[in-house]
Amino acid sequence: MDAPAESEFFKLLIIGIGLLLLVGGALVLFVVTYQKRLLQQQLRLREAEAEYQQQLLAAIIEAQEHERERIGRDLHDGIGATLATTRLLMGRLETNSQATANAEESGLFGMVNELMGSAVHDVRSISHSLFPAVLARYGLAEALQHLVDVSNETGALYVELEVDYPQPLALAQELALYRICQELIHNALKHAKGATRLDVLLRQRGPVLTLVVEDDGCGLPPAHTTDGAALIKGAGLRSIDVRVQMLQARLRQESEPGQGLRTFVELQSPA
Amino acid sequence: MHLVGLLPIWAVVVAAVVGLIRFRRLAQPLRYLALLVGFDALVELAVLALRVLLPTLPNLFLFPLIALGEVALLALAYRAALQSATFSRLMPWVVGAFGLYALVGAWVAFHRVHYPAAIQITADLLQFCLAALYFWKLLRELRVEHLHQDPFFWVSVGLVAFVLGDLFIMLFSNYLLAHYSVGLQRLVLLMVRPCFLLILYCCYGLALWMHPPKANSLSS
């Protein structure tokens, strides 16, 4: 067979190359579009997973809070009321037998009264700690004030509260923030050795709500300072982390050894 | 020499300079690519010098050796980029077998002056396989969010464009050399083929110039 003319061959060659390049272009286009589609699918899957996790977390915390509320109410209305009544009856019994009682019996009455009083106080404080009725009734600012007052009553550390909170959050969010603050104050009282004061600040600046808990104690060793993710250690800190996740907030800690610990929780509040 | 024939030489020299400047900051796969670009720049300059200074000296036996160097360096670059145990295990055998074939081809070409197109076709196919493997990895792992920011995506695109063009020319090269005029041979081998080389070297240069973002962990 004769070879085609030069111009014919060149034309065929160019057409052949062009077709192969079209195939190559189609391959690259396929890779680009298919990869983009796969990425979008994966992103959607991750979003759905994250949403599910968030819902699960919220449901767990809600169930936990309901259970706490139930136990707190049972304690307050059941055992608390019984103890208070018993204390009143003991008071009456003491008054009635005042004339006939000897010194030993009077002493015993006094001791029983004191123990009953202490038991009533304990039940009430456990009940309040399990479910802060003040929060449901008056909101986060009042609940924090109550928390600070109760902490000051222990006399372990002077706690000061500063609140600038004009736009209240939903109750579930306020409760989560309250729990975080409760845990942070508890941690400071327990671990901030050498601390003389504890400052709690709740501040709203535009859409950002910030809770700051700061002590002037021994601080954390450098390895423990974190911006959130690796904080998890004990049950208390785990519970903080879970609530921070639920609030979709950001947890940050600043500390130097001997310079105290500053914990920030920042969240976007609805405008 | 026609301007079109010189453009790839400029492109590869520029890419080699970019690779040299950024070599210390490049990741391991791109360092191999920089070596490949440097090798290509030296080869292009040497071929140009031979063509100008000793135009009658037969240099066809060099082509299999150049193809071997390119395939070996590209395989090293892709081994580092793909990070696949299977590829790392197979790669030395494939490159070794191709090396043997290329050396035999060079020896034959040295004794019987002919264009060793089969070796270049094999090299093209191997390079196409490397690019295809990288595309497959991109689709399988989904680590790269924006493909246009990934240097090896551009390397692979350049390879696909060059290989497909070059493959077609190589398939018909011996037929072209046997049946057609020197003018047409020059047109195809010194003007059409350099266009694909230009695309390839531009992609290499772009890959070496880029500052790729850190891979995210979408797949993890």
Side-chain angles (χ1 to χ4, degrees):
Chain A
M1 198 176 83
D2 288 338
E6 275 199 2
S7 60
E8 190 74 12
F9 177 79
F10 185 69
K11 206 178 356 179
L12 287 172
L13 196 73
I14 294 298
I15 289 170
I17 290 172
L19 285 175
L20 269 186
L21 283 181
L22 271 179
V23 172
L27 173 72
V28 172
L29 199 69
F30 167 77
V31 170
V32 172
T33 49
Y34 194 59
Q35 195 257 8
K36 205 170 271 180
R37 220 165 75 184
L38 287 177
L39 269 178
Q40 278 169 354
Q41 269 178 11
Q42 197 175 47
L43 209 66
R44 273 200 295 272
L45 195 69
R46 272 167 190 256
E47 277 170 5
E49 268 176 20
E51 198 180 329
Y52 175 70
Q53 289 285 341
Q54 194 67 23
Q55 283 171 355
L56 199 65
L57 208 61
I60 290 169
I61 289 174
E62 199 185 327
Q64 195 186 46
E65 291 297 348
H66 276 308
E67 197 56 18
R68 280 182 168 203
E69 186 185 348
R70 191 187 63 76
I71 296 169
R73 197 162 287 155
D74 283 357
L75 269 177
H76 187 269
D77 301 346
I79 301 171
T82 310
L83 281 173
T85 316
T86 313
R87 194 183 172 199
L88 280 173
L89 291 173
M90 280 301 296
R92 267 183 69 187
L93 191 62
E94 189 185 6
T95 317
N96 291 345
S97 58
Q98 230 166 18
T100 55
N102 56 29
E104 193 188 349
E105 283 170 341
S106 296
L108 276 173
F109 271 126
M111 274 171 68
V112 170
N113 244 334
E114 200 182 310
L115 281 173
M116 295 296 285
S118 156
V120 168
H121 182 266
D122 285 353
V123 166
R124 195 168 292 163
S125 72
I126 291 170
S127 154
H128 277 299
S129 136
L130 281 170
F131 183 71
V134 185
L135 179 82
R137 212 166 293 158
Y138 304 109
L140 183 61
E142 285 300 319
L144 287 181
Q145 188 58 59
H146 182 257
L147 182 66
V148 165
D149 292 344
V150 170
S151 303
N152 276 328
E153 268 178 34
T154 64
L157 200 60
Y158 174 67
V159 188
E160 194 175 306
L161 174 72
E162 196 186 321
V163 177
D164 173 15
Y165 178 56
Q167 293 169 305
L169 301 171
L171 179 64
Q173 286 178 301
E174 285 197 335
L175 189 56
L177 214 53
Y178 176 84
R179 292 287 183 216
I180 292 170
C181 190
Q182 193 178 28
E183 191 56 45
L184 288 171
I185 290 176
H186 175 74
N187 281 353
L189 293 175
K190 202 170 160 189
H191 301 295
K193 289 188 176 59
T196 55
R197 59 179 294 128
L198 180 67
D199 293 320
V200 179
L201 169 69
L202 181 70
R203 185 180 55 201
Q204 201 156 28
R205 289 274 181 277
V208 182
L209 180 65
T210 312
L211 172 73
V212 187
V213 178
E214 180 182 5
D215 67 63
D216 60 350
C218 56
L220 292 175
H224 288 79
T225 311
T226 175
D227 63 351
L231 183 71
I232 307 152
K233 281 260 158 69
L237 291 178
R238 243 192 339 261
S239 115
I240 291 179
D241 195 60
V242 164
R243 285 185 165 82
V244 164
Q245 274 184 54
M246 193 207 92
L247 288 170
Q248 294 182 320
R250 186 164 168 261
L251 177 71
R252 187 161 51 91
Q253 286 193 310
E254 290 174 1
S255 175
E256 292 281 329
Q259 302 280 308
L261 171 66
R262 203 174 304 127
T263 306
F264 298 83
V265 178
E266 290 173 341
L267 69 143
Q268 297 286 321
S269 60
Chain B
M1 195 171 176
H2 200 276
L3 179 72
V4 180
L6 284 173
L7 279 177
I9 301 173
W10 280 107
V12 76
V13 168
V14 170
V17 170
V18 171
L20 193 69
I21 292 168
R22 300 205 59 232
F23 192 80
R24 291 171 72 88
R25 277 175 288 168
L26 292 175
Q28 192 61 29
L30 289 172
R31 284 187 176 184
Y32 283 123
L33 183 73
L35 289 177
L36 169 68
V37 170
F39 173 78
D40 278 342
L42 286 177
V43 165
E44 293 285 355
L45 290 173
V47 169
L48 181 68
L50 279 177
R51 205 179 290 159
V52 174
L53 300 173
L54 301 163
T56 53
L57 188 78
N59 58 7
L60 291 178
F61 71 93
L62 285 176
F63 282 77
L65 302 177
I66 295 167
L68 173 60
E70 284 177 342
V71 167
L73 284 169
L74 212 52
L76 282 171
Y78 272 93
R79 186 179 67 169
L82 291 169
Q83 292 186 339
S84 150
T86 315
F87 181 83
S88 300
R89 217 171 29 245
L90 288 176
M91 192 269 275
W93 293 97
V94 176
V95 174
F98 177 70
L100 207 64
Y101 175 46
L103 288 175
V104 172
W107 187 78
V108 172
F110 187 70
H111 288 89
R112 287 169 48 210
V113 178
H114 84 292
Y115 191 68
I119 292 168
Q120 189 58 44
I121 289 169
T122 315
D124 283 343
L125 289 175
L126 287 175
Q127 289 173 355
F128 185 81
C129 287
L130 292 175
L133 276 174
Y134 191 74
F135 287 149
W136 184 64
K137 176 193 160 80
L138 285 178
L139 293 180
R140 197 187 49 156
E141 293 183 357
L142 297 177
R143 276 180 183 273
V144 183
E145 204 172 340
H146 302 289
L147 286 180
H148 65 275
Q149 292 175 350
D150 179 40
F152 260 78
F153 170 73
W154 287 110
V155 174
S156 304
V157 167
L159 272 179
V160 166
F162 168 74
V163 160
L164 292 177
D166 193 53
L167 197 63
F168 207 78
I169 294 171
M170 286 303 135
L171 280 171
F172 291 94
S173 59
N174 279 325
Y175 185 76
L176 172 76
L177 292 170
H179 294 90
Y180 293 99
S181 68
V182 175
L184 186 66
Q185 290 168 17
R186 281 180 185 276
L187 181 68
V188 174
L189 295 176
L190 301 179
M191 282 185 70
V192 178
R193 191 169 180 265
C195 292
F196 299 113
L197 272 176
L198 181 66
I199 295 171
L200 179 67
Y201 292 148
C202 285
C203 288
Y204 282 173
L206 180 66
L208 291 172
W209 179 262
M210 285 169 87
H211 297 261
K214 292 208 183 304
N216 67 27
S217 54
L218 274 172
S219 66
S220 60

